[in-house]
């Protein structure tokens, strides 16, 4: 069965401010997610991280265990954890820059429950697919 987890956390150190740090995370994520048959997307804004991860329950739980002990972020909070019929994402890990995207996602509002998780997942999926391409800023892998 396929599962999807959406979480928010707070970046520590250079992860929230350095494109090099984000690129390093994306590179490692691509390798690990391909190996574990995981897909998803992430966004970082103002020191907050949102990530959606899809895959088998076992693989998602294994990644979540690594994320919970990752010193580059803190206050990891699961917003949604549910079985799903199909994937929203094709790429092992896309990175969305909502600051330059025409449909911004307020990560603080998401963390505080003022933005529905389904909306956040949908916006990340649109960005990962390159929808709204003139304004979308996406990096990562294409699956």
């Amino acid at each position: 069965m396929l599962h999807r987890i959406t979480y928010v956390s707070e970046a520590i150190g250079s992860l929230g401010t350095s494109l090099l740090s984000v690129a390093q995370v994306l590179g490692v994520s691509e390798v690990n997610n391909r190996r574990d048959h995981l897909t998803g997307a992430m966004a970082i804004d103002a020191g907050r991280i949102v990530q959606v991860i899809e895959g088998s329950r076992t693989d998602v739980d294994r990644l979540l265990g690594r994320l919970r002990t990752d010193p580059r972020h803190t206050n990891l909070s699961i917003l949604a954890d549910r079985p799903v019929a199909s994937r929203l994402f094709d790429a092992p890990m896309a990175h969305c820059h909502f600051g330059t995207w025409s449909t911004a996602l307020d990560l603080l509002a998401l963390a505080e429950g003022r933005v529905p998780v389904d909306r956040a997942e949908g916006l990340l999926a649109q960005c990962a697919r390159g929808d709204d391409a003139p304004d979308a800023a996406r990096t990562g892998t294409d699956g």
Side-chain angles (χ1 to χ4, degrees):
M1 168 142 310
L2 189 62
H3 275 76
R4 181 179 303 132
I5 290 181
T6 301
Y7 77 85
V8 292
S9 64
E10 297 173 27
I12 294 177
S14 64
L15 180 59
T17 59
S18 166
L19 288 177
L20 178 59
S21 292
V22 172
Q24 290 170 338
V25 168
L26 287 172
V28 171
S29 295
E30 177 183 357
V31 171
N32 291 341
N33 289 359
R34 281 185 190 280
R35 178 196 66 216
D36 296 336
H37 308 288
L38 296 170
T39 56
M42 69 181 299
I44 301 174
D45 184 48
R48 296 200 182 278
I49 301 166
V50 61
Q51 185 172 8
V52 181
I53 306 159
E54 303 171 324
S56 74
R57 175 89 261 173
T58 301
D59 292 329
V60 168
D61 284 346
R62 186 178 320 123
L63 174 58
L64 196 56
R66 290 192 307 263
L67 291 171
R68 288 188 188 282
T69 62
D70 189 327
R72 295 171 293 191
H73 64 127
T74 188
N75 297 327
L76 189 146
S77 176
I78 303 294
L79 301 178
D81 181 350
R82 61 186 179 271
V84 293
S86 61
R87 293 181 187 264
L88 283 176
F89 304 93
D90 296 324
M93 187 52 56
H95 177 227
C96 297
H97 309 271
F98 284 112
T100 58
W101 205 51
S102 66
T103 311
L105 175 60
D106 182 335
L107 299 187
L108 177 58
L110 177 64
E112 293 175 346
R114 294 182 284 126
V115 173
V117 174
D118 289 347
R119 175 162 168 69
E121 291 172 348
L123 289 172
L124 283 164
Q126 285 178 338
C127 178
R129 288 190 307 265
D131 293 359
D132 197 13
D135 297 319
R138 180 186 66 84
T139 58
T141 59
D142 292 321

